[in-house]
Amino acid sequence: MRQLPGVLIVEDEPAIAELIAVNLRHNGFRPVWAMDSATAQCELDAVLPDVILLDWMLPGESGLSLAKRWRASPRTKGVPIIMLTARGDEIDRVAGLDAGADDYIAKPFSTKELLARVRAVLRRRAPEQVGGLVTIGGLSLDASTYRVTFVEQLLKLGPTEFKLLNYFMTHAERVHSRSQLLDKVWGDHVFIEERTVDVHVKRLRESLGPIAGQMIETVRGAGYRLTGKVVTALPAKSDA
Ligand code: CA
């Protein structure tokens, strides 16, 4: 089951935060409120949200500085950030986007507009989750029908192995660290040991079989990679 998308609201004004949270909750999101930068950081360390709504003017560290920091951190750099700002002028807009924000919304805003912006950043991020048919070196995965085949032979995969393979196939030939895989495939890695990744990679290789299993390479000291290059000789199809 897919969880409701999580939204971290970083906003020091309780009335605004409450208004946003109520609207998000009514529209199928899971809002979490942090009233300052330290609380926001604690929330991010615990659970990665799907979107961050970040107020520009915060007591202590500013929203702009937080956006820069979160963009630079490997753990948080993939999380879309929408800046909330009372300053609507051009220069601030650019500063916000330069700091790594995906979008910005000027106060006062309508909740309708806010929801539209949140949905838009989620959609932009969605292709890797929606997927479709991907084929690499004889291995095919159809995310819409949950079918995986290798040279037209149907393979049986557990749900985690399927998600893992889907991620590998849509990001092939790139090395992924265990912690990146935990973030991307499991969603939140705080309570899961990195060794869990090794266990599921082993199961995935077993499910793929001796030939396609070799496509999942262990990159020493770095992580794992799916490559189509190792499968040089596909098993011959029988003529019968
Ligand atoms: Ca504020």
Side-chain angles (χ1 to χ4, degrees):
M1 281 300 283
R2 271 188 65 85
Q3 275 193 312
L4 297 176
V7 182
L8 176 63
I9 306 163
V10 189
E11 167 66 68
D12 59 311
E13 286 158 72
I16 297 179
E18 180 63 20
L19 177 73
I20 296 173
V22 164
N23 277 282
L24 286 172
R25 211 172 287 123
H26 285 168
N27 285 277
F29 295 93
R30 234 175 344 108
V32 173
W33 174 38
M35 67 183 304
D36 54 43
S37 56
T39 315
Q41 189 61 56
C42 286
E43 291 294 344
L44 279 184
D45 290 342
V47 178
L48 273 188
D50 293 279
V51 183
I52 300 170
L53 295 177
L54 178 58
D55 185 27
W56 184 297
M57 296 295 283
L58 290 166
E61 193 172 359
S62 75
L64 194 68
S65 157
L66 284 172
K68 279 187 190 152
R69 190 143 60 81
W70 291 338
R71 268 300 166 267
S73 150
R75 174 165 161 82
T76 47
K77 69 177 180 200
V79 182
I81 297 173
I82 301 176
M83 299 278 310
L84 306 175
T85 173
R87 324 155 155 202
D89 60 44
E90 192 69 28
I91 197 94
D92 285 333
R93 223 177 286 178
V94 171
L97 296 175
D98 281 352
D102 293 80
D103 203 350
Y104 82 97
I105 186 162
K107 292 177 186 172
F109 48 81
S110 76
T111 49
K112 226 178 181 175
E113 186 185 358
L114 180 82
L115 288 165
R117 299 294 177 96
V118 169
R119 291 194 180 106
V121 290
L122 285 174
R123 255 198 316 277
R124 255 178 265 155
R125 222 172 57 130
E128 64 190 55
Q129 294 164 1
V130 176
L133 183 70
V134 200
T135 299
I136 299 167
L139 186 64
S140 292
L141 177 143
D142 190 339
S144 57
T145 57
Y146 282 86
R147 279 167 64 92
V148 177
T149 58
F150 181 58
V151 254
E152 288 162 29
Q153 288 248 315
L154 192 62
L155 302 176
K156 278 189 79 172
L157 267 66
T160 304
E161 285 69 42
F162 182 89
K163 280 177 76 178
L164 191 56
L165 183 64
N166 190 16
Y167 187 73
F168 275 136
M169 289 188 74
T170 49
H171 302 80
E173 311 296 342
R174 267 186 269 168
V175 182
H176 307 283
S177 72
R178 289 168 179 80
S179 115
Q180 282 170 335
L181 290 169
L182 282 172
D183 269 355
K184 299 295 183 184
V185 177
W186 278 260
D188 169 33
H189 72 225
V190 171
F191 305 109
I192 305 173
E193 288 179 50
E194 295 199 346
R195 209 180 54 85
T196 305
V197 175
D198 302 334
V199 172
H200 286 279
V201 166
K202 183 169 179 283
R203 281 191 207 153
L204 174 58
R205 282 185 179 133
E206 285 164 3
S207 309
L208 294 178
I211 298 168
Q214 291 174 39
M215 293 170 76
I216 315 287
E217 290 184 337
T218 302
V219 181
R220 273 193 68 186
Y224 295 102
R225 163 173 60 203
L226 181 139
T227 177
K229 287 169 196 152
V230 292
V231 187
T232 44
L234 295 177
K237 274 185 227 166
S238 84
D239 292 323

